[in-house]
Amino acid sequence: QLVESGGGWVQPGGSLRLSCAVSGFNVNTYIIGWFRQAPGKEREGVSCISLRDGRTRYADSVKGRFTLSRDNPINAMYINTVYLEMNSLKPEDTAVYFCAAEHEAKGMTLAYPDEYDYWGQGTQVTVSS
């Protein structure tokens, strides 16, 4: 199960932090990805993180502005939380943001959302003045 939270409205240049609570399977063997979809556009990969070792990848459009991290709780095998810190937000960052999980054997992919097996319900991020 994946549950996102933290979306909302922010002015250009502002910041938001999204959370993705992950539970219900052996999460330590999964990659968590963040994707976004704006109206009329295809789903776009933003960033992903290995829950096993914390390695991250970022899309060029968000490098230097977004930071992805994870908790490392004692019971990390079955529950974890991933945080997407978004700074210097731009109007073009406006979209519904989804977190998703894929098994680590598939590699850390951002280009192919269909590779991800589990999805959250999404949270709206709006950047406007």
Side-chain angles (χ1 to χ4, degrees):
Q1 183 180 11
L2 292 88
V3 179
E4 303 100 335
S5 60
W9 172 83
V10 65
Q11 291 186 332
S15 300
L16 280 175
R17 188 174 82 156
L18 305 183
S19 299
C20 176
V22 185
S23 63
F25 48 88
N26 187 351
V27 301
N28 215 31
T29 59
Y30 276 76
I31 306 294
I32 301 300
W34 280 96
F35 294 82
R36 64 187 181 186
Q37 189 164 21
K41 294 189 177 181
E42 293 188 354
R43 195 163 291 191
E44 173 192 18
V46 174
S47 183
C48 60
I49 187 168
S50 165
L51 291 184
R52 183 185 295 277
D53 58 20
R55 287 177 299 131
T56 54
R57 284 190 64 189
Y58 297 92
D60 289 342
S61 58
V62 305
K63 275 181 184 176
R65 300 189 298 123
F66 289 13
T67 303
L68 192 54
S69 62
R70 78 195 197 295
D71 279 344
N72 195 24
I74 294 174
N75 56 343
M77 184 177 289
Y78 301 106
I79 187 169
N80 213 324
T81 303
V82 171
Y83 304 98
L84 182 66
E85 186 75 35
M86 306 186 295
N87 299 313
S88 302
L89 283 163
K90 305 174 182 180
E92 51 263 44
D93 294 317
T94 295
V96 178
Y97 283 70
F98 300 88
C99 65
E102 66 164 1
H103 195 273
E104 62 183 1
K106 296 183 181 180
M108 297 182 69
T109 59
L110 287 176
Y112 305 106
D114 289 346
E115 291 289 322
Y116 285 72
D117 303 304
Y118 306 102
W119 289 82
Q121 80 286 356
T123 185
Q124 176 70 45
V125 171
T126 303
V127 185
S128 72
S129 53

